[in-house]
Amino acid sequence: MKKLFLVFLTIIIAVMALAGSRWYRYVSNTDSPYDEIGITLNNAAPDPINRWGCAMLETRFAKSVPPYGCAGENATQWK
């Protein structure tokens, strides 16, 4: 039972590390703010992390329409 728990915990940590690295790559080194996986991960992130990611995207793509999860009141302004 203990070994099964350790395997399960290892899988959970690996998935979280992969998702976290994929999210960070999206907000820091992306060519486009409209990457579907990045948008989904950023939108699912807790609010402080989401806002930080949106701020990172806004610094590079300020003239673009914000992606889902980063849009403000009228969907054409950043949060």
Side-chain angles (χ1 to χ4, degrees):
M1 187 69 171
K2 187 175 184 181
K3 188 170 185 161
L4 181 63
F5 175 74
L6 289 176
V7 169
F8 183 69
L9 184 63
T10 303
I11 290 171
I12 295 292
I13 290 172
V15 167
M16 289 179 68
L18 287 172
S21 67
R22 178 66 177 87
W23 170 82
Y24 185 75
R25 227 175 345 151
Y26 167 66
V27 299
S28 65
N29 298 320
T30 189
D31 295 329
S32 168
Y34 308 115
D35 176 55
E36 291 180 28
I37 296 171
I39 290 170
T40 302
L41 291 173
N42 193 47
N43 195 36
D47 192 51
I49 295 172
N50 174 277
R51 288 190 178 278
W52 184 81
C54 290
M56 292 283 292
L57 289 169
E58 185 180 11
T59 59
R60 287 194 320 281
F61 304 107
K63 297 192 185 283
S64 300
V65 175
Y68 180 72
C70 291
E73 302 263 336
N74 64 0
T76 60
Q77 296 176 335
W78 292 83
K79 280 187 188 176

